Amino acid sequence: MFESNLKSFTDSPMTVFCRPEVPHQDALLLRSTAKRHSGSKFIECASGDSFTVLQAPEFVSFQKGDWPVSGEKVPDVVALTMGFSVQEDLMWPGLQAGPLFQRPRANVLVVVRGIDSLSLPQTVASYPLENPVPFTLDGVAETVHSLFSEYTPVVLQLAPSEERLYMLGKANAVFEDLPVTLQQIRARLSQDGSVLTSLPLNSLSRNSEADLLFLSEVQVLHDITALLQRHRHLAKDFSPDLYSLELSGLEELSRLYGNDSPQYRDATAILASVLQKFGEDMYRLYGNRAVVEVVTVKTFEAPLTRKSRSILESKQISNPGSPYNLAYKYNFQYAVIFNIVLWLMIALALAVIVISYNLWNMDPGYDSIIYRMTNQKIRMD
């Protein structure tokens, strides 16, 4: 399919062929076909979504390479970097096993929608992202809360464009002044310390809704680091912290102006510099023991699901708190507690059987010294 198209391109002295949305298999075919043509007549610049590690301590070993990581496995990568176990082994060579008794103090994941890659000047490693399906860090947040509930770790999940916020532990005290709704964030842009006074807006307008959404997300990143600097002691406690941020301002700009517009290009340059500084600030606040990752995805793919209904479906709801007939949630330590109770009951049952058997077959002529010394007949003699 690509061979016939390439023949017409090779007749010209210089041809540029860019397809950002080509599939992975077609991109490989393009690369192999381009190598067979001589000179610089063909330039292949296909690109895709990426998973980039901005900052990482030395004991979290990310290997440089082009190993693709699946979008649904990003939460597992985050869990493994924090020293937690996952349900299935991650067969991905990009992350190597680290020391057992060293773990990061925080993990910061920023998801940027509307662009497949950002020109970040300083990174630890970058990997292509396959199957970019929507994902959440709810499982990792639950693990952090379950293991370190007595230390009240900071757990923050925020999506400004959707006004979606989830705070747990000390995050309620640290980020109580953080603007979360679009109305609050836009009001914050007109206050002291706003990013509008320090950023080169260029073609971006303060009167456009899409532009204000993008600038609001930049303001949130700035406010998170500013609030953490006021509570530096929280970055030195024992419990690890988790941050998950989703930014969709570039997606709105791309939909409104297009990818070739000056507004989109200026916003991309601003976001790249802001994210680089944000990663450096978070890494420094946690004493160079934080992992900062950036996931850039053009658009999320809807996962293929098959909806079915069983003829044996009961009309009674087993969980009154859920209208969808869902089972009760149980703690991840359920298997441990179940095994403790099971084997303890088996041990007690065997002990009762053994004791009962020995009592039933006990010879009354061989009383112990306790019964013989307390016998009234022996005292009279």
Side-chain angles (χ1 to χ4, degrees):
M1 180 178 65
F2 289 94
E3 292 288 346
S4 58
N5 297 332
L6 289 174
K7 290 180 180 178
S8 60
F9 283 97
T10 54
D11 297 335
S12 59
M14 184 67 180
T15 302
V16 179
F17 186 79
C18 294
R19 283 286 305 276
E21 294 88 4
V22 297
H24 181 64
Q25 294 85 355
D26 296 343
L28 294 178
L29 179 59
L30 282 172
R31 294 189 183 96
S32 61
T33 310
K35 291 180 180 179
R36 292 197 297 266
H37 295 277
S38 60
S40 58
K41 296 182 179 180
F42 187 87
I43 299 177
E44 187 272 319
C45 55
S47 60
D49 305 329
S50 63
F51 174 80
T52 305
V53 182
L54 273 182
Q55 302 287 343
E58 295 180 355
F59 51 84
V60 179
S61 180
F62 282 98
Q63 305 297 316
K64 293 185 177 181
D66 294 331
W67 305 291
V69 57
S70 178
E72 58 188 6
K73 294 298 182 180
V74 171
D76 291 345
V77 175
V78 174
L80 290 174
T81 57
M82 302 185 71
F84 303 144
S85 59
V86 294
Q87 294 181 353
E88 299 180 359
D89 293 338
L90 183 64
M91 307 303 295
W92 183 60
L95 179 62
Q96 300 295 323
L100 182 61
F101 299 102
Q102 284 184 312
R103 67 176 65 200
R105 291 179 178 174
N107 191 290
V108 184
L109 177 67
V110 182
V111 178
V112 181
R113 291 162 47 184
I115 190 170
D116 46 22
S117 62
L118 285 171
S119 299
L120 300 169
Q122 296 180 356
T123 61
V124 176
S126 183
Y127 311 96
L129 185 69
E130 289 185 343
N131 189 25
V133 296
F135 59 86
T136 62
L137 299 185
D138 294 343
V140 185
E142 184 179 354
T143 302
V144 173
H145 178 64
S146 301
L147 294 178
F148 303 93
S149 58
E150 54 195 31
Y151 300 99
T152 59
V154 176
V155 177
L156 175 65
Q157 299 187 59
L158 177 63
S161 63
E162 302 177 4
E163 297 186 355
R164 176 161 44 90
L165 173 67
Y166 175 74
M167 292 192 299
L168 192 65
K170 296 178 182 178
N172 294 288
V174 178
F175 301 109
E176 60 180 355
D177 297 331
L178 183 68
V180 292
T181 65
L182 293 178
Q183 184 177 2
Q184 293 175 348
I185 300 175
R186 289 170 184 173
R188 174 70 181 87
L189 289 174
S190 60
Q191 299 174 1
D192 295 337
S194 171
V195 296
L196 297 181
T197 60
S198 59
L199 291 178
L201 300 183
N202 296 333
S203 60
L204 297 178
S205 173
R206 303 185 182 187
N207 300 322
S208 173
E209 293 292 330
D211 297 7
L212 284 177
L213 173 61
F214 169 76
L215 296 173
S216 300
E217 295 176 343
V218 175
Q219 183 67 53
V220 169
L221 296 177
H222 176 269
D223 290 344
I224 288 177
T225 55
L227 291 172
L228 278 177
Q229 288 178 356
R230 302 178 189 174
H231 303 81
R232 289 176 175 268
H233 61 281
L234 298 179
K236 300 179 182 179
D237 56 5
F238 178 75
S239 59
D241 300 334
L242 179 66
Y243 301 86
S244 176
L245 309 173
E246 184 174 335
L247 310 179
S248 59
L250 280 181
E251 189 176 29
E252 294 297 328
L253 293 177
S254 174
R255 185 181 297 112
L256 180 62
Y257 300 113
N259 295 341
D260 298 330
S261 62
Q263 292 88 347
Y264 184 80
R265 291 196 298 268
D266 293 340
T268 302
I270 291 174
L271 185 60
S273 62
V274 169
L275 283 177
Q276 188 71 51
K277 186 178 184 302
F278 175 76
E280 294 174 356
D281 292 342
M282 296 294 290
Y283 185 70
R284 185 179 63 256
L285 284 171
Y286 281 92
N288 299 340
R289 296 187 62 181
V291 180
V292 183
E293 304 109 341
V294 176
V295 173
T296 54
V297 56
K298 192 67 176 178
T299 54
F300 277 118
E301 298 177 359
L304 300 178
T305 58
R306 178 179 178 270
K307 297 182 179 179
S308 61
R309 184 175 180 179
S310 173
I311 60 176
L312 301 178
E313 181 180 4
S314 175
K315 295 183 180 180
Q316 297 180 354
I317 298 178
S318 59
N319 186 357
S322 174
Y324 304 106
N325 196 22
L326 301 178
Y328 288 95
K329 289 185 178 180
Y330 59 88
N331 193 279
F332 76 102
Q333 294 181 348
Y334 172 81
V336 178
I337 299 175
F338 176 81
N339 278 273
I340 292 175
V341 174
L342 173 65
W343 294 109
L344 181 60
M345 296 302 296
I346 293 176
L348 291 176
L350 292 176
V352 170
I353 293 174
V354 172
I355 293 173
S356 301
Y357 177 81
N358 285 280
L359 289 176
W360 184 265
N361 296 280
M362 181 182 293
D363 189 355
Y366 292 96
D367 291 338
S368 65
I369 189 172
I370 299 176
Y371 294 103
R372 283 184 286 165
M373 294 301 295
T374 58
N375 194 337
Q376 189 67 23
K377 183 179 180 182
I378 296 177
R379 291 182 179 179
M380 292 177 62
D381 294 341

